[in-house]
Structure formats: C-alpha cells, structure tokens
Amino acid sequence: MTRGTALVRRPGDRLAEGLVTHIERTDVDVARARRQHEAYRAALAGAGWQVREVDPADQCPDAVFIEDTVVVCAGLAVLTRPGAPERRPEVPGAEKAVREAGLEVVRIEAPGTLDGGDVLQIGTTVYVGRGGRTNDAGIAQLGAHLATRGRTVVPVPLRNVLHLKSAVTALPDGTLLALPDLLDATALRQPIHAVDEEAGCHVVPLGDDLVLMAASAPRTAALVAALGFTPVVVDIDEYEKLEGCVTCLSVLIPHA
Ligand SMILES: CN(C)C(=N)NCCC[C@H](N)C(=O)O
C-alpha cells in the first residue's frame, strides 16, 4: 500500500534556459540534473509514494517544476495560470495527469495568475504568497475553490523572493521553517523555526516523520533531526541554479 501518488515531470533538453529572477544565472549541467531527478524520484518511491510521470512539455524549460501548475487539496485539483506566460503551456499535461488520477478539476482563469509554489497548505489554512507570480485575482479564485473543501486562504506579501515556498514551508507537525528576511511573517500563525540556510526553508513532509530536503542545507537537516524528524536528503543543486527547490519538483496526491 502506497501513501499516494507523486506527480513528477522529467527535465527536458532546454532545462538550462529556465527562468532566473532573483539570482545570477549560472550554467546548468543537464546530464547531472537528470541524474539528480532520478535520485529525487527514487527518494519519493523509497518513502512510499507511487511516482507517476506527467507527459513531457519539453518546449518549456521550466516544466520540471511541476508544482507550479496545479494545487491539489482534498480530492480537488486547481489548475493554475502561471504568472510567467511562457510557463502556461505546462498546464495541459498536468491537467491530463490529475484527471487520470480521478480528481475533480477546476482552474484559475484570467486575469488571475497563480503559481503552485506560492501555495502552502497547513491543516485548513492555506497561505498564498502575493508577489511576482501570483496576483490578487488568482488568490481570490483559489480562495473560492478551496472554500468548497473547508479551507481558508491567507495572503502573505512577498519581497525579494520568487515564491512563498522559496521562503517558508512546514514540518509534519505544522511548525514552520522560514528565512525571516524574505517574507512578512506577521501573517503566519504557526510557530517558526528560523533557519540560516536558504535551502533549509524548503521541505516536503513525506508522511510519518519523513522530511524531504536538499543536501545544500546540512545545518537545517541537523535541526530537523533534533526536532525528532527524519531528513530524507537529495542533491538538487542543478535545480537550485534555476531557483528550484525540493517542493517544486513534485505534486503529492495522498490517498483519500
Ligand atoms: C517553490 N518554488 C521555488 C517553485 N515552486 N518553483 C520554482 C520555479 C523556478 C523556475 N525557474 C521559475 O522561475 O519559474
């Protein structure tokens, strides 16, 4: 019995052309990125997730960052309208996958924009970063869709950061790992563990005490272990060169 399905999309040949907004562009080794993606998929499978590959969208360099195309919540899939127009052709493949997974499907419509990386779900609270990629109309539409699942959307203003989940994510107990300099934490209600490594504030709870995190955050991995969780560490530095992190590379659909 698996924990559920993990949607992933393999990197395409144009990966190195992916968008870079807040960091300096450096060369991406696509062959190495492919090996890192294989190890990432293996980590998900090893933690009990059935890995399902979404159809390639190789004309889109950032298509590997599947998280930005769909938000899954309690049997509902909200297809996004990514804030970067060149990423919008990534969405149809994600739509096919969530329909095949049997989810109810709705979508963010113009003029709304929303990237899945801006959406952090903790219990019935859904924090949504308002910044470069996600606008007020997108947040309002998401709020209406998720209200049908008993969720409350709380906007969080962002500064100097691509996505909300570039700055804060949650551990399995709902407490937060955050880089305080990158966001206005006053909107956040849960206790915060401040971290001092940028990659340290990106984690994915994989079920039970397992926490997926990047090899580039060893001090935070030690903190996570000291808090009683088990870090599952993957090297994703080729994706970090494109402002990616462990959250962006998958969408988890837990069993109902
Ligand atoms: C939580 N994060 C960071 C994400 N969900 N997505 C990262 C997308 C990176 C891509 N180069 C871009 O600029 O769109």
Side-chain angles (χ1 to χ4, degrees):
M1 180 66 177
T2 63
R3 297 181 191 274
T5 301
L7 302 182
V8 298
R9 184 183 254 150
R10 288 191 193 219
D13 290 345
R14 295 183 57 192
L15 176 69
E17 300 165 46
L19 296 170
V20 171
T21 310
H22 295 281
I23 59 175
E24 227 169 90
R25 183 176 290 281
T26 49
D27 288 345
V28 173
D29 179 337
V30 178
R32 186 158 184 271
R34 287 208 168 92
R35 291 194 294 277
Q36 291 182 344
H37 199 263
E38 194 179 336
Y40 180 92
R41 298 194 304 271
L44 293 175
W49 292 86
Q50 180 171 23
V51 177
R52 152 94 167 83
E53 291 194 28
V54 175
D55 289 350
D58 288 348
Q59 75 280 19
C60 298
D62 284 305
V64 69
F65 301 117
I66 186 77
E67 168 178 67
D68 294 321
T69 62
V70 61
V71 175
V72 171
C73 175
L76 179 69
V78 183
L79 298 170
T80 68
R81 184 166 178 269
E86 57 270 61
R87 295 201 57 192
R88 292 182 192 154
E90 298 174 21
V91 176
E95 174 171 6
K96 180 168 170 259
V98 291
R99 287 195 187 282
E100 286 171 0
L103 301 182
E104 184 185 337
V105 177
V106 294
R107 67 181 73 242
I108 302 297
E109 309 274 4
T113 63
L114 183 93
D115 278 16
D118 276 323
V119 180
L120 174 62
Q121 304 186 47
I122 307 174
T124 58
T125 301
V126 181
Y127 293 110
V128 187
R130 186 202 298 114
R133 298 286 177 88
T134 295
N135 65 15
D136 285 325
I139 295 174
Q141 290 177 38
L142 183 73
H145 291 311
L146 298 191
T148 68
R149 297 303 197 267
R151 303 308 201 258
T152 304
V153 159
V154 178
V156 181
L158 300 180
R159 52 172 186 264
N160 302 327
V161 72
L162 181 61
H163 287 130
L164 177 65
K165 281 191 271 191
S166 308
V168 58
T169 55
L171 288 166
D173 63 0
T175 61
L176 303 174
L177 289 173
L179 266 175
D181 288 354
L182 296 181
L183 83 167
D184 176 359
T186 52
L188 306 174
R189 296 170 196 154
Q190 287 74 10
I192 298 178
H193 308 281
V195 301
D196 63 356
E197 296 162 308
E198 174 140 9
C201 60
H202 320 138
V203 299
V204 180
L206 292 176
D208 298 324
D209 65 350
L210 300 177
V211 177
L212 185 65
M213 50 193 308
S216 49
R219 290 190 299 279
T220 314
L223 168 68
V224 166
L227 290 169
F229 303 105
T230 303
V232 175
V233 176
V234 285
D235 192 354
I236 54 156
D237 59 4
E238 296 301 331
Y239 300 97
E240 289 168 349
K241 295 173 181 174
L242 298 167
E243 288 177 272
C245 62
V246 282
T247 76
C248 335
L249 295 171
S250 59
V251 174
L252 300 184
I253 308 175
H255 286 308

